[in-house]
Amino acid sequence: MTVHIGELSRRTGVNTHQLRYYESQGLLEPDRGPNGYREYADAAVLTVTQIRSLLAAGLSTREIGYVLPCASGARPELEPCPELVNGLRERLTRLDESIDALVGTRQVLHAYLDLTERRALTTPGSATG
């Protein structure tokens, strides 16, 4: 059984524009009916659920393209192939580096704010807020 893009959208809660984007990224592969409409297999519902879960984990659609063949179930569970584990480790390392950079930026901004607020308290006629 197949469904059209509108039905896939309704079943997954993902708008049709995003579904077309997933298709353009090679994550979904619909057939075309005689009328030219996209026709998705019922399994596409599971695939879209997996894509959304992997996006929520911070993976890019490019990374998901590598991970998806190793995925099973809605959560999804991933087969522990070496390429997959290495790719996830690399992604986690980049994420940790981004978090560290943001923490450093936040500390610098707090320092500027603290200094500015202290100066406002000692400068006649200045207002804060």
Side-chain angles (χ1 to χ4, degrees):
M1 185 171 163
T2 61
V3 296
H4 292 128
I5 194 167
E7 178 64 15
L8 182 60
S9 174
R10 188 189 65 72
R11 286 188 187 182
T12 61
V14 175
N15 71 47
T16 57
H17 177 76
Q18 289 172 302
L19 294 173
R20 285 188 204 98
Y21 176 73
Y22 299 160
E23 180 184 341
S24 75
Q25 298 299 299
L27 303 177
L28 282 176
E29 296 180 23
D31 291 324
R32 292 285 179 164
N35 56 7
Y37 291 163
R38 290 171 174 86
E39 294 181 346
Y40 296 90
D42 279 338
V45 173
L46 175 62
T47 301
V48 171
T49 301
Q50 292 171 334
I51 292 167
R52 300 300 289 176
S53 292
L54 294 167
L55 285 168
L59 299 180
S60 69
T61 53
R62 187 174 141 265
E63 292 165 324
I64 291 171
Y66 293 110
V67 171
L68 209 51
C70 301
S72 64
R75 186 164 188 214
E77 293 182 19
L78 305 174
E79 294 297 320
C81 57
E83 299 83 14
L84 175 64
V85 172
N86 290 338
L88 292 176
R89 274 202 184 107
E90 288 174 15
R91 179 66 177 120
L92 189 57
T93 297
R94 289 193 312 271
L95 185 59
D96 287 339
E97 290 168 354
S98 295
I99 290 169
D100 291 344
L102 286 171
V103 167
T105 300
R106 184 178 66 187
Q107 289 170 340
V108 171
L109 187 55
H110 272 295
Y112 275 119
L113 181 60
D114 291 344
L115 178 62
T116 303
E117 288 176 337
R118 279 192 305 249
R119 287 193 67 204
L121 293 174
T122 60
T123 304
S126 67
T128 59

